[in-house]
Amino acid sequence: MDPIKKVSTIISKGSLTDVYPGLILANGARMEGIEANLFFTFFGLEAILEKRMDKLKVPTVANPAMHIPSIIGILPGMSAFATMMMKKEMKKLDIPPVREFIEMIHDAGAEIYACKATVEMFHLTKEDFCEQVDGILTVGEFYEKSAGAQIIFT
Amino acid sequence: MKKEFQVKGKIYELNEDGYLANPEQWDESFAVEIAKELGINELTEKHMMVINYMREYYKQNGVVPTLRKVSKESGVGMKDLYSLFPDGPIKKAAKISGLPKPQSCV
């Protein structure tokens, strides 16, 4: 079988647990010598917004796999607690915080893009994003950049 | 399947993934020659900084460091790691350093 040569990973959701899988996949691709692009759309944009990217949280409601009943999960501080616990565990695995992960992936040669429709919908500009963002793309441009790539949607 | 790698008459045994079977057997002439096999024609001072750091880390901890650790502690940053060891920096660096296959996802 032919090895994978290029991947385009889309991150469309904005909680900490939604963002990390895409970051790990993109970074892992570069580590394997696979060309990688990262596209952020809808609430996924939180991960590259200068003011939001350090504040992503683990959700504690509506997720049976958390093993926390939603009625408990809504209590103040539950999400902050779960977030703290998860960050502690990730640190043990040498997985960096979101901001550093984005820098690392960019330094690794992956390109990072924001979705134009969402940027307009949320009234954002290029200045709202961290410096690693290479551009704001339409869906058509996204497909152009993804030529020859496997597309991963998260 | 196991493979043998020869440098000036000395035989180095590689495991099925192409990593040196016995890290103790490593020496610089192995590093220079295996690097050529992996498309790195010359091991520069910067390459050696990475290799020495990785070997020392392995000796102390018994595992291959993560790429992130190498980028923070070896004195060679992430961008340089990707240009010094193209197409898979941590795997290539581990092979040249005579260490086992890296087991971390980051």
Side-chain angles (χ1 to χ4, degrees):
Chain A
M1 293 287 274
D2 287 339
I4 295 173
K5 292 206 178 71
K6 182 174 173 181
V7 289
S8 280
T9 304
I10 302 167
I11 295 179
S12 69
K13 301 186 206 83
S15 72
L16 197 66
T17 38
D18 291 324
V19 164
Y20 266 104
L23 296 181
I24 291 171
L25 282 164
N27 182 62
R30 291 300 305 129
M31 279 172 62
E32 289 296 310
I34 298 167
E35 195 185 330
N37 289 325
L38 255 177
F39 295 87
F40 292 86
T41 186
F42 281 78
F43 292 109
L45 287 187
E46 296 266 297
I48 48 172
L49 280 171
E50 192 55 46
K51 286 189 180 147
R52 300 291 314 150
M53 61 196 294
D54 298 319
K55 297 174 185 158
L56 304 189
K57 294 271 185 299
V58 175
T60 45
V61 293
N63 178 8
M66 271 301 282
H67 307 292
I68 297 174
S70 284
I71 192 94
I72 307 287
I74 62 166
L75 296 175
M78 281 307 285
S79 181
F81 175 73
T83 303
M84 187 192 79
M85 291 304 286
M86 181 155 289
K87 284 184 174 171
K88 211 168 106 189
E89 289 304 313
M90 288 196 294
K91 205 173 171 188
K92 283 188 208 162
L93 294 171
D94 209 28
I95 298 175
V98 170
R99 181 183 295 273
E100 193 196 323
F101 216 165
I102 298 274
E103 279 173 25
M104 203 165 119
I105 292 167
H106 199 252
D107 282 350
E111 291 170 358
I112 296 175
Y113 297 105
C115 153
K116 188 157 187 273
T118 322
V119 167
E120 288 173 354
M121 185 169 55
F122 291 161
H123 306 289
L124 298 165
T125 65
K126 181 87 168 65
E127 282 64 50
D128 294 313
F129 293 98
C130 63
E131 60 177 283
Q132 285 76 24
V133 173
D134 293 295
I136 297 168
L137 301 187
T138 64
V139 63
E141 288 165 329
F142 158 74
Y143 279 120
E144 283 170 22
K145 295 269 180 203
S146 302
Q150 309 265 346
I151 296 175
I152 304 170
F153 184 85
T154 69
Chain B
M1 215 183 71
K2 288 184 177 174
K3 285 168 261 178
E4 280 181 352
F5 188 70
Q6 260 199 47
V7 183
K8 293 172 196 152
K10 189 174 168 187
I11 291 168
Y12 301 85
E13 195 183 311
L14 304 182
N15 69 18
E16 56 212 2
D17 295 320
Y19 295 84
L20 190 62
N22 175 12
E24 301 276 305
Q25 221 196 349
W26 183 89
D27 54 29
E28 273 200 45
S29 48
F30 168 81
V32 168
E33 294 306 317
I34 200 88
K36 283 181 192 163
E37 290 279 305
L38 297 168
I40 299 167
N41 289 322
E42 194 200 344
L43 290 183
T44 62
E45 203 176 311
K46 274 192 170 178
H47 287 103
M48 289 314 295
M49 277 165 74
V50 174
I51 293 166
N52 291 332
Y53 167 80
M54 286 181 65
R55 289 194 56 80
E56 187 56 33
Y57 185 94
Y58 182 78
K59 206 160 91 186
Q60 308 233 333
N61 301 282
V63 288
V64 178
T66 62
L67 185 61
R68 182 189 183 210
K69 268 214 158 58
V70 179
S71 77
K72 288 194 156 181
E73 295 175 2
S74 69
V76 179
M78 194 61 85
K79 277 186 188 166
D80 282 345
L81 284 168
Y82 274 91
S83 56
L84 291 167
F85 302 93
D87 300 330
I90 194 72
K91 282 177 148 181
K92 270 196 181 170
K95 278 182 182 169
I96 297 167
S97 306
L99 302 179
K101 188 175 182 176
Q103 293 299 325
S104 167
C105 286
V106 283

